[in-house]
Amino acid sequence: MKTKTFDDKEALARYFGDYLVQKVQKNEQLNVALSGGSTPKVIFDLLSKEYSDAIDWRKLRFFWGDERCVPPDDEESNYNMTRLHLFDHVPVPAENIFRIKGELPPDEARDSYADIIDKELPKRNKVPVFDLMILGMGDDGHTASIFPHEIGLWNSDNLCEVATHPTSGQKRVTLTGKVINNAAEILFLVTGKEKAPKVAEIIKEKGTYKSHPAALVNRDKSLWLMDKEAAKLIG
Ligand code: 6PG
């Protein structure tokens, strides 16, 4: 497992921007699964401000690792967050955006997204392949929307599953472990001191790390980009 620590979110965002520039230059097309939550906002804002011309956005096809079961204009929507902080500011063709339809009943949203990734992505071992999987991690060690109390969803035979947020009860649609670990490259974007205990357990394979869904992500394919707050207990 590779890790990189940055002084702050802005430095992490710039590293990510440079990384994306290079990947886009080297590839005709890139299928990217985005993470949700708050960490990507700072990164998308910086991409919008400093990388709008540096990246050929027509080469990027955007998907998500998970979505909240809310309408696309809801403040909780990962699609909406990405639109407000990125898509509204850079020239991504509308046909390159494959959102999870959070407005549908959860089972229907899950099935429609499974059909989309099954149809739109190349396969390896009959499983859709993302070129780049971007993940976050919650304070509880969850990733995508696979939470510790539902860690069994990771090993589902399905491409996507319906999940439930442990405290809010909010329904989510999430990719499962077989799709996440089938990605060519996996990038974790993790910031903030509240993440430090789980980060340290997972990276050092200590304590109850096996009960943290983020620990199930393929270590050989993963690069963890963190700010010094999140990395402070790695030692
Ligand atoms: C979501 C995410 C989730 C997120 C973590 C970290 O929809 O919430 O995809 O997995 O990455 O919860 O979220 P923060 O960046 O807000 O801490």
Side-chain angles (χ1 to χ4, degrees):
M1 173 194 285
K2 296 189 292 295
T3 68
K4 279 189 182 307
T5 303
F6 301 88
D7 285 345
D8 53 36
K9 290 179 182 172
E10 203 167 291
L12 187 160
R14 230 168 249 116
Y15 176 87
F16 177 70
D18 296 343
Y19 167 93
L20 206 52
V21 166
Q22 286 177 22
K23 274 198 84 61
V24 170
Q25 278 166 354
K26 287 192 196 120
N27 292 278
E28 270 320 299
Q29 185 179 71
L30 282 173
N31 293 306
V32 179
L34 298 171
S35 61
S38 59
T39 302
K41 291 179 184 171
V42 175
I43 294 162
F44 293 160
D45 288 342
L46 190 128
L47 287 180
S48 297
K49 219 167 63 213
E50 299 184 12
Y51 290 82
S52 181
D53 302 333
I55 292 174
D56 183 349
W57 299 92
R58 296 166 301 175
K59 289 184 172 180
L60 288 162
R61 301 169 87 228
F62 290 105
F63 302 76
W64 280 264
D66 67 324
E67 181 60 283
R68 293 90 181 273
C69 291
V70 294
D73 57 357
D74 190 287
E75 62 177 21
E76 279 277 304
S77 161
N78 287 338
Y79 162 74
N80 196 33
M81 177 271 288
T82 311
R83 182 182 63 75
L84 292 169
H85 292 270
L86 185 64
F87 297 158
D88 282 355
H89 313 284
V90 297
V92 175
E95 63 271 21
N96 285 21
I97 299 171
F98 302 88
R99 70 179 183 84
I100 300 173
K101 298 187 177 69
E103 67 273 25
L104 296 176
D107 291 357
E108 285 178 39
R110 173 201 59 206
D111 298 346
S112 86
Y113 192 53
D115 290 348
I116 288 170
I117 61 172
D118 187 52
K119 194 167 105 259
E120 295 292 338
L121 295 175
K123 305 269 182 4
R124 182 177 41 236
N125 308 327
K126 299 196 179 94
V127 177
V129 180
F130 284 98
D131 299 300
L132 179 58
M133 175 72 56
I134 300 175
L135 296 172
M137 187 195 76
D139 319 354
D140 60 358
H142 81 261
T143 194
S145 277
I146 299 195
F147 296 94
H149 74 291
E150 290 178 328
I151 197 166
L153 292 180
W154 183 269
N155 297 316
S156 163
D157 282 337
N158 299 325
L159 302 178
C160 312
E161 285 289 357
V162 173
T164 308
H165 190 281
T167 49
S168 70
Q170 181 187 58
K171 290 297 180 188
R172 307 277 188 97
V173 169
T174 183
L175 293 178
T176 59
K178 72 179 192 178
V179 180
I180 291 172
N181 277 344
N182 203 40
E185 274 183 59
I186 301 171
L187 264 189
F188 271 98
L189 307 173
V190 181
T191 61
K193 63 181 183 315
E194 63 288 341
K195 311 279 173 74
K198 296 289 187 294
V199 164
E201 281 194 11
I202 292 171
I203 290 179
K204 296 195 281 187
E205 296 186 301
K206 288 267 184 289
T208 59
Y209 77 99
K210 285 188 177 149
S211 66
H212 312 328
L216 302 174
V217 176
N218 183 306
R219 298 171 80 88
D220 301 332
K221 292 181 180 178
S222 298
L223 170 59
W224 288 61
L225 302 182
M226 298 170 282
D227 65 359
K228 62 177 186 261
E229 291 293 302
K232 72 179 180 191
L233 300 177
I234 298 177

